[in-house]
Amino acid sequence: MKSTKSVIVKAGILLAIAALLIGAMTISVSAATESVSYEEASWNAATETVTKQSKTVMATVITGSETTLGKTGETTYYVVSSNATTADSVTVYGEVHIILDANYTIGADAAKNLRVGTGATLHIYKKKNGGTAVLSAANIHAYESDTENENIYIH
């Protein structure tokens, strides 16, 4: 018959091993992404025409829980594939591309802003062959920039 002390020691060793194994596991949660096509429009000053180029990228799906988009020094693509509404203002960092395939409302109370941080750039597109989509906010603006809206592009 085993003593209670040896059962407790064995149970303790098993718990310690289990804790080590769990601690060694890496749990990673990533945002949903999807492949999305859009058209990028740009002005050709030489010919005074708008040129369009079709592009396809992997984009992070906007859910409405975001208060920041992008990361300083990086280029990030986002897609609004179903209607999304945030409760707060949203600030953009780095170079952010938002591709609309559904409505995106910044601030449920319609008094919130989409702010483009210092040195950041925001591009807004409509999904290629997508339906009607609207981005709404009280203001979409660049702050701490020499010229207001110098780094916001709607394609």
Side-chain angles (χ1 to χ4, degrees):
M1 185 159 123
K2 294 185 180 182
S3 72
T4 306
K5 186 175 180 181
S6 72
V7 171
I8 292 174
V9 169
K10 286 180 182 177
I13 290 171
L14 288 175
L15 285 173
I17 291 170
L20 287 172
L21 289 174
I22 290 172
M25 290 182 202
T26 303
I27 298 172
S28 146
V29 177
S30 60
T33 60
E34 65 181 59
S35 178
V36 61
S37 297
Y38 66 97
E39 286 190 334
E40 182 176 88
S42 58
W43 177 250
N44 184 329
T47 62
E48 296 185 353
T49 58
V50 173
T51 57
K52 292 183 179 182
Q53 181 180 10
S54 293
K55 294 185 175 187
T56 301
V57 296
M58 287 304 293
T60 301
V61 177
I62 289 179
T63 62
S65 63
E66 303 81 6
T67 56
T68 63
L69 296 175
K71 194 173 195 182
T72 302
E74 295 183 12
T75 299
T76 314
Y77 290 85
Y78 293 93
V79 61
V80 181
S81 53
S82 61
N83 292 345
T85 300
T86 68
D88 296 308
S89 294
V90 175
T91 302
V92 170
Y93 297 98
E95 182 174 340
V96 170
H97 300 257
I98 299 175
I99 302 159
L100 299 172
D101 190 32
N103 297 331
Y104 183 29
T105 304
I106 308 294
D109 63 5
K112 303 298 182 184
N113 301 310
L114 178 57
R115 299 182 299 239
V116 180
T118 303
T121 302
L122 172 63
H123 296 268
I124 302 170
Y125 312 89
K126 180 183 167 294
K127 182 177 176 182
K128 188 174 183 178
N129 300 322
T132 301
V134 176
L135 185 146
S136 60
N139 295 292
I140 300 175
H141 64 89
Y143 63 91
E144 295 182 23
S145 114
D146 294 336
T147 307
E148 191 170 336
N149 299 333
E150 70 181 6
N151 47 1
I152 300 173
Y153 304 93
I154 299 174
H155 297 265

